[in-house]
Amino acid sequence: MKLQSSALMLFVILILFNTSLFGQTANKASDYQIIPKPAFQEILEGTFKVDKKTKIVYNEELNKEASYLSEILGAAIGKTLKIETKAEKGAIVLKLDDAIENAEGYELVVNTNEIVISGKTSTGVFYGIQTLKQLMPSEIEIAAKIASAFTIPAVIVKDQPRFVYRGMHLDVGRHFFPVSFIKQYIDLIAMHKMNTFHWHLTEDQGWRIEIKKYPKLTEVGAFRNGTIVGHHPGTSNDQKVYGGFYTQEEIKEVVAYAASKHVTVVPEIELPGHSAAAIAAYPELSCFPEEPTDLGKSPMSEKSKELQANGTAKVVYETWGVTGDVYCAGQEHTFKFLEDVLSEVLPLFPSKYIHIGGDECPKGNWKRCSNCQSKIKALGLHDEHELQSYFIQRIEKFVNAKGKQIIGWDEILEGGLAPNATVMSWRGTKGGIEAAKQHHDVIMTPGSHCYFDHYQSKDKDSEPLAIGGFTTVEKVYFYNPEPEELTAEEKKYILGAQGNVWTEYMETTDYVEYMILPRMTALSEVVWSAQDQRDWSDFELRLPNLIERYKAMNLNYAKHSLAEEK
Ligand code: ACM
Ligand code: ZN
């Protein structure tokens, strides 16, 4: 009995000790609830008090990070915090430290008389600030006032990412999202210590980026005359004109915003497939400019039917799936068009990479097209797969000459890989494995684990319409981007992984949020934290701290994986 009660007492003490400030319940005495899980953390005694006297001291190079921290802490206490470059006692110190090995690594030390955040680079310091935020009440995420003074629990964190590429993709072709949402999406990427936004800007159903030399791309290609209703092939057509695009000024604004959050924007300009919107604008890009756009079994809008009856053959695609109307590979003006487009796109994005698509390009038109067939003969190619390879390699040469590298979906392996291409493996991991064995860089995005357009429940009737599949948060969490089939040497070609968000069935920003949260939360840990740190019950205990933040940010997260909210 005595033993039992002292055990109970010990249990109560442990619970009290674990219930740290702001109701955070650490699962182990040595842990705070941080996602992605840091490589190392040790809880220290005490707290650091933030109030109106708190100053931020920084190295010159960290001016932006100091301003950012001053802004969020200033909002939290209701008074702007001073930032200065001169050492001060009791300050929050931001500094660069060459002794930190990883370019994105950082150390965060909070104790009663100071906070020090050191990074190898400003990116590392930015990530240290993200961790610091997770030690504070969730209002810090929305620049709301917390109190005129509040405390941060003492801790030492030493941290660094597992992979250099930690991405989230968004398809703005099927559904268009405003710049304000794109910025929120970038905020989420940064908050989870991810570093790449893959912006899927062109699709059959809409061309979304202003190209000054080809104004019809957005005048015609950015708007469709209707959209199918229900699951593909659809029960009817909604008959509503739908569309939108980003001006080059808006693109620059987004890229600059992303840079301030240490996020790189990788644009995707799809070729040779998924190009029906561009073809609707410039029909000569098709092998058969006179052949009317065919939606298969899907119902077409009355407006498009009327256009076709009056001799306008090509319209922007109104249904989902894959169309056979792709860029003609046999005519020089296709390449002239694409090179002109890329010449406008590349300077807008400081990214080393541009994604050129390469997926789902049916070869039927190329088989029937005399220009494509002549090209095959003239180049001594065996088939249409080699023609696609020629297409990609030609574009790669152009992109490389401009000092950039291409990423392509794994179909670019077919017919021979372009010499410097990075492969994004989506049809499972096979393409990624093959590319790594050929010593090409790889980004893993297998449908099985990284497609956030999949259902989150087996009970599909209880869910909003999705494309199919079934991918839980737990399944994402246990994804290992380094396939067992690869040797240690080959694994070095795996740059990282990415969550893909195809928006056929995501019409609203609310729905996008529901599909990514908290699956991207799980993925952030996959790409940041070491593989041997994977522990689901530990993650489940840390997740509520992030959920509190999503609530504060008014985000529509999914609840399937949350024990208390199921
Ligand atoms: C893809 O999902 N078609 C890359
Ligand atoms: Zn052709």
Side-chain angles (χ1 to χ4, degrees):
M1 187 63 199
K2 194 146 190 233
L3 187 69
Q4 267 183 0
S5 62
S6 53
L8 185 66
M9 195 63 171
L10 182 65
F11 181 69
V12 169
I13 288 169
L14 276 174
I15 293 274
L16 285 176
F17 182 61
N18 275 342
T19 307
S20 61
L21 295 163
F22 321 119
Q24 280 201 35
T25 312
N27 54 316
K28 283 183 258 165
S30 60
D31 274 356
Y32 286 128
Q33 296 180 6
I34 299 163
I35 292 179
K37 177 105 172 163
F40 171 85
Q41 59 174 309
E42 182 190 338
I43 289 208
L44 304 176
E45 293 259 323
T47 59
F48 178 91
K49 186 170 160 202
V50 181
D51 62 21
K52 63 180 192 304
K53 290 193 287 294
T54 307
K55 287 187 180 151
I56 297 168
V57 172
Y58 65 101
N59 288 164
E60 285 298 352
E61 302 90 327
L62 298 170
N63 182 13
K64 288 198 186 102
E65 283 62 42
S67 301
Y68 165 64
L69 185 57
S70 144
E71 223 169 86
I72 56 176
L73 288 178
I77 61 163
K79 170 134 197 343
T80 311
L81 292 187
K82 276 216 177 110
I83 63 170
E84 55 188 60
T85 48
K86 186 160 65 46
E88 279 268 351
K89 277 216 171 91
I92 302 177
V93 179
L94 307 184
K95 62 176 195 183
L96 295 179
D97 182 353
D98 241 1
I100 294 173
E101 271 177 33
N102 191 292
E104 296 175 289
Y106 70 91
E107 285 182 21
L108 163 68
V109 179
V110 179
N111 59 38
T112 48
N113 44 36
E114 68 173 357
I115 294 180
V116 180
I117 303 176
S118 340
K120 171 101 172 175
T121 63
S122 59
T123 305
V125 171
F126 179 81
Y127 291 144
I129 296 173
Q130 298 313 307
T131 295
L132 186 69
K133 272 167 59 187
Q134 291 191 18
L135 299 175
M136 298 185 216
S138 56
E139 289 88 341
I140 198 75
E141 306 293 348
I142 52 165
K145 181 157 180 186
I146 295 169
S148 51
F150 67 94
T151 54
I152 300 175
V155 70
I156 298 174
V157 175
K158 295 182 185 179
D159 204 5
Q160 60 176 54
R162 177 182 179 196
F163 290 109
V164 293
Y165 188 106
R166 306 181 298 280
M168 281 296 291
H169 151 285
L170 185 66
D171 165 16
V172 296
R174 273 59 175 262
H175 284 103
F176 177 75
F177 302 98
V179 166
S180 57
F181 182 70
I182 302 298
K183 287 182 177 174
Q184 257 190 312
Y185 201 80
I186 288 165
D187 286 343
L188 277 174
I189 291 173
M191 172 183 171
H192 291 84
K193 301 190 180 84
M194 296 171 93
N195 61 4
T196 308
F197 171 46
H198 171 174
W199 203 357
H200 185 79
L201 285 164
T202 69
E203 253 308 336
D204 295 317
Q205 297 83 3
W207 181 283
R208 305 281 177 232
I209 175 170
E210 177 192 24
I211 303 294
K212 295 187 196 285
K213 192 157 188 180
Y214 296 94
K216 283 197 274 182
L217 283 173
T218 44
E219 283 165 17
V220 175
F223 299 91
R224 57 181 182 257
N225 295 322
T227 305
I228 59 157
V229 173
H231 214 277
H232 181 260
T235 51
S236 60
N237 189 299
D238 71 6
Q239 312 291 344
K240 291 182 194 145
V241 174
Y242 179 92
F245 65 92
Y246 308 101
T247 63
Q248 291 194 2
E249 283 311 306
E250 286 173 322
I251 299 269
K252 284 182 202 159
E253 182 187 330
V254 167
V255 167
Y257 185 81
S260 77
K261 303 279 162 136
H262 297 265
V263 171
T264 300
V265 184
V266 175
E268 180 176 356
I269 303 295
E270 272 263 23
L271 53 94
H274 289 280
S275 41
I279 286 171
Y282 296 97
E284 64 273 22
L285 296 169
S286 166
C287 293
F288 302 101
E290 314 296 329
E291 283 185 10
T293 303
D294 179 7
L295 302 188
K297 292 200 176 91
S298 295
M300 184 178 268
S301 65
E302 293 307 318
K303 187 162 181 203
S304 289
K305 279 190 212 163
E306 197 184 314
L307 281 168
Q308 291 195 334
N310 292 325
T312 301
K314 305 293 187 188
V315 293
V316 178
Y317 220 49
E318 299 175 12
T319 185
W320 318 129
V322 175
T323 164
D325 205 1
V326 302
Y327 291 130
C328 177
Q331 303 185 74
E332 277 308 297
H333 63 242
T334 299
F335 293 97
K336 167 86 169 64
F337 165 80
L338 288 169
E339 290 176 6
D340 286 345
V341 166
L342 292 171
S343 295
E344 283 194 39
V345 170
L346 292 175
L348 295 171
F349 296 90
S351 163
K352 158 180 163 190
Y353 296 111
I354 176 159
H355 201 303
I356 50 76
D359 61 322
E360 299 179 322
C361 178
K363 307 296 184 294
N365 275 14
W366 291 0
K367 283 199 171 104
R368 294 191 293 130
C369 171
S370 57
N371 291 317
C372 286
Q373 289 305 311
S374 303
K375 194 81 170 176
I376 287 176
K377 280 207 191 73
L379 296 170
L381 305 175
H382 287 105
D383 58 17
E384 290 72 26
H385 291 297
E386 289 194 5
L387 185 59
Q388 159 135 343
S389 177
Y390 159 78
F391 200 121
I392 303 287
Q393 293 200 30
R394 189 163 161 181
I395 296 294
E396 182 187 59
K397 251 195 211 139
F398 181 81
V399 169
N400 286 171
K402 300 226 174 237
K404 307 271 182 172
Q405 301 286 320
I406 64 161
I407 302 175
W409 299 110
D410 58 54
E411 285 93 331
I412 67 168
L413 279 149
E414 294 160 8
L417 209 44
N420 306 311
T422 295
V423 171
M424 204 168 251
S425 190
W426 71 280
R427 296 176 301 174
T429 55
K430 219 168 97 269
I433 291 168
E434 198 183 321
K437 285 187 184 294
Q438 291 183 32
H439 295 182
H440 280 256
D441 285 341
V442 171
I443 297 153
M444 285 296 194
T445 67
S448 54
H449 295 77
C450 295
Y451 268 48
F452 299 163
D453 55 347
H454 285 183
Y455 280 105
Q456 309 185 64
S457 164
K458 280 201 164 145
D459 178 14
K460 294 192 169 104
D461 294 338
S462 69
E463 291 285 312
L465 199 59
I467 200 149
F470 174 54
T471 304
T472 62
V473 177
E474 189 168 1
K475 186 169 181 190
V476 176
Y477 184 76
F478 281 109
Y479 178 53
N480 181 359
E482 291 182 334
E484 279 172 13
E485 292 89 333
L486 296 180
T487 64
E489 191 50 41
E490 289 161 349
K491 282 178 184 167
K492 290 185 185 150
Y493 292 97
I494 309 290
L495 301 182
Q498 172 177 285
N500 286 346
V501 184
W502 302 103
T503 58
E504 286 94 332
Y505 300 101
M506 298 178 213
E507 287 178 39
T508 63
T509 55
D510 265 15
Y511 192 11
V512 173
E513 291 162 15
Y514 178 80
M515 296 302 266
I516 64 172
L517 298 171
R519 288 190 282 200
M520 86 173 272
T521 324
L523 187 67
S524 76
E525 193 141 319
V526 166
V527 289
W528 179 277
S529 312
Q531 182 65 23
D532 62 10
Q533 283 185 306
R534 221 63 75 234
D535 177 342
W536 175 251
S537 54
D538 179 77
F539 180 77
E540 271 189 312
L541 286 166
R542 285 178 288 119
L543 189 53
N545 186 26
L546 272 283
I547 296 294
E548 282 310 309
R549 278 145 223 280
Y550 305 152
K551 279 186 193 160
M553 294 159 85
N554 201 22
L555 293 166
N556 183 31
Y557 59 92
K559 300 183 171 66
H560 311 79
S561 60
L562 309 173
E564 80 280 13
E565 296 197 48
K566 262 180 204 164

